[in-house]
Amino acid sequence: MEDGIALNKTVILQRNNVLKAVKLIPEKVIVFERMRFKPENAIGLPFGSVFEVKNGDLNPVNSSLSLEEMETAGEDNRNLVDTHGKSQTLNRQDLIQMKEDGATGKEIVQSLVENSSSFAGKTVFSQKKYLKKKQKKHLAYLQLLKPTSRLICKLYQEREPAKICHMRIDSMSQLLTSTNVRHGSKVAVFETCSGLLLGMVLERLAGKGSIVNLHPGETPVNLFAVSHFNFPDEYWDNLHSLPLHKLAPLLAGNSFQSTFDESNKTTCESEVPLESNDSSTDIANENNSKLEIAIPLDIKAVENLNEKACNGPLKRKLSLSDKEKTAIRVERQKKRFNHQKAAWELLESRNMDALIVASRFHPTPIVLSLLEVLAVSKPFAIYFEYKEALMELFVRLSVSGAAINLQLTDTFMRQYQVLPERTHPHVMMRGHGGYLLTGIKVRPFSAQQEK
Amino acid sequence: MSFNVCGKSVKENDVIIVFMGHDSMFPLSVKEGEITQTKYGAIKHNSLLGHGYGTKFSCTKGWVYILQATPELWTLCLPHRTQILYTADIAMITLQLDLKPGSVVCESGTGSGSLSHAILRTVAPMGHLHTVEFNEGRCNKATAEFGEHGLSQYVTVYHRDVINEGFPVENAADAVFLDIPRPDEAVKVAAKALKTTGGRFCSFSPCIEQTQRTCATLRKPGSGFCEVETLELVRRSHNVKRVYIPIADIGIGDSEVRTALIKGENNTSSVLPCAYEAGDDMPVGEIIIRTTPENKDGLSSSKNPKRAKFDMSSSQISQGGGKSYEKGKTPPAATKYAFSTRTCILPKEIYGHTGYLTFATYRPGLSHKV
């Protein structure tokens, strides 16, 4: 689909492999990698456009600019003497002055090379490494990218690994692939990964199919990451959230009516249902309207309010009348109720196509119960940070005969620097990506199953 | 047809997976009147019709499970015509190429169709896969398989040499995947196939030289590619097993020795924990009484070892070794206690290398970023 950078939509900012997800709000200053700018100049341009920041605005950059490797001559390092950082004659003030005088990044790097007494004596590779480092600092531009699973996974892995139970990108990809999630699937998910997995599943469903999002607590707080994907409303319509503590009553045969009548004292919920172990996150916009985070299900209402907010200075709190507040709350509750009912009915039919679990909670009770709602011959995938919990689950499932093709796996992932005469794995790598337990359900779990 | 649409029970022409164990499963195309032999006996296809998926099917000498086909199971039991890609790499490729319903993908070479099935699963029904294979036999086999699996409408197989003739489409693909001997020579045609608005690229190469050439070509100014990165994945399976670790006899059975140690005269407190005092924290396993003699590698083969609290103060210790030994006989090396726990045992041999995955973004009009 042809689309460009637009207001009130999320984009992924990228500079030197650092990523950040931000919503482009008119007149709102974005802070990223020591740059401050307003998004206006990017509107309408295609995703992937390159910009530089000047005077708080974005300037599209001539895209034919390249980070070519400058041709240099060098020697080996037998005569190298440590200069203790004194080989560069330009200091920070000089550089600032040059920037103010309008020197381009290329010119700055050139000057740095010319004013370095040790540069000529470096080996060829050392010189290239030096250039690359300086170019990265003085020449790097900003790109605005279209949100995709790949980028959002990378973003969370780098910036907020604790929020996603320290999942590494390979584990995330395997959770999706090994459960055969596709257009039209009915997927049951229990995750405490800020909604990252929900977003990935929604992307693969592309509007057809459903997700039952079981969540701890009363309200689904784990939807942060989903809003980064910029899904159209129809996608959100397929996301049905249900509190996890309703699962046992459902499996026991209780009716939806009786279970929800009992706990129908919810007249108001907290405005900002952030996860309990959340500290302030700068994943979303710092001043992102709290209302937006709290009502992911009510996009239309939010957009209406946003328009209202955009016509005035943002620093001032949204001044909604009490009537408007109540109306929004009632609308929100109604919508949530409908989704819970849909989730209930889906689970009751015990006909889900896939089960994905990735949380900070012990997987055993969750998985043994959720397996009941999975149809036979269907796959499941459980992620957990530590293998002991999965070992226990592995044994229970294999002894009971409830699942076959059980596999407890972990993956070794390593990145490579591939350059002529300098190819080797990266020196630093992620030490840990968690463990996965996958299998296929063949019959309901029963502790007394004969093998 | 199992891959695309599948009911709850087996129908004529379904492709099913017959599961006898993780390393022994095979696909079966259900045709009336046919019989397939397995090590558990014959499977009469007529008996399969109407059988529920995910349930046991009895054969003369045992039983098997009948499963719905998925690309992942297909990968594990498809007939190999070439070396294939496995799930770990396939999962990463799917994510890194931004694949989703509606994506248009160009692939070369088709090979045995392992990745192809996974791509089709993800991009259907709105997307399409154009897959190019230069070996005619493999081309035909792949086409036949896609047909049998009900996937023909989402894929087109081309018999051509992608390097010389290019991909069959231009400015149309969201993603290009290469698994060919000389991927560097196909970078140009890959760029042509990709949409001018941008896309993703992946090349899989078993050898580092191929990878080096590919990266060098991708990084050439003006290629249109940027954000080049290379990685490798090794997935390994853990075998969950209970092990029994025998506890060696350090002579603590002798009650006089024990008393002296407890009194703590020579600061011998370091010895006592080795005897597993009662109440010691044993979070990972438990002390049991071994009921069978220690076998060679120290693992007890007992199925139901008696559990016992190893209590220093009790008289159990004297039974374990020490004073109760008969004169002249060699005391056993181990006490009669063992530590029992579950652990993960890694297989002796695993796939340590499949290939290097190189990913890049295609953004024409943009320079490459190193």
Side-chain angles (χ1 to χ4, degrees), chain B residues 178 183-192 201 214 217-218 223 225:
Chain B
L178 296 175
D184 53 311
E185 295 185 10
V187 168
K188 231 181 181 147
V189 301
K192 255 200 173 144
F201 169 93
T214 310
T217 314
L218 289 168
S223 72
F225 289 97

Side-chain angles (χ1 to χ4, degrees), chain B residues 30-183:
Chain B
V30 180
K31 304 273 185 240
E32 215 175 325
E34 283 188 19
I35 300 178
T36 303
Q37 291 296 338
T38 75
K39 68 181 182 195
Y40 294 119
I43 297 182
K44 296 198 174 99
H45 289 216
N46 289 358
S47 314
L48 279 172
L49 296 171
H51 191 88
Y53 279 111
T55 61
K56 281 184 185 170
F57 179 85
S58 295
C59 312
T60 36
K61 290 183 256 169
W63 44 261
V64 297
Y65 272 103
I66 304 297
L67 298 177
Q68 288 171 340
T70 64
E72 285 61 58
L73 290 176
W74 178 251
T75 288
L76 292 172
C77 60
L78 64 87
H80 286 215
R81 280 94 67 180
T82 59
Q83 176 57 280
I84 65 167
L85 283 181
Y86 290 92
T87 303
D89 293 313
I90 292 175
M92 180 60 77
I93 292 166
T94 307
L95 178 67
Q96 292 280 357
L97 290 182
D98 295 338
L99 298 187
K100 51 184 171 283
S103 295
V104 175
V105 184
C106 284
E107 170 192 38
S108 185
T110 316
S112 308
S114 173
L115 175 66
S116 316
H117 276 78
I119 294 176
L120 285 167
R121 176 263 314 276
T122 304
V123 310
M126 301 93 88
H128 201 87
L129 171 65
H130 300 280
T131 184
V132 176
E133 170 59 52
F134 67 179
N135 176 296
E136 193 169 6
R138 292 200 287 265
C139 224
N140 296 336
K141 200 74 187 51
T143 310
E145 264 170 12
F146 294 136
E148 236 182 57
H149 299 167
L151 300 167
S152 298
Q153 54 189 304
Y154 310 117
V155 58
T156 317
V157 186
Y158 303 86
H159 176 217
R160 55 164 75 183
D161 176 354
V162 73
I163 290 174
N164 295 326
E165 302 167 63
F167 279 106
V169 296
E170 270 182 35
N171 183 20
D174 297 296
V176 166
F177 175 80
L178 296 175
D179 181 0
I180 56 178
R182 290 302 302 254

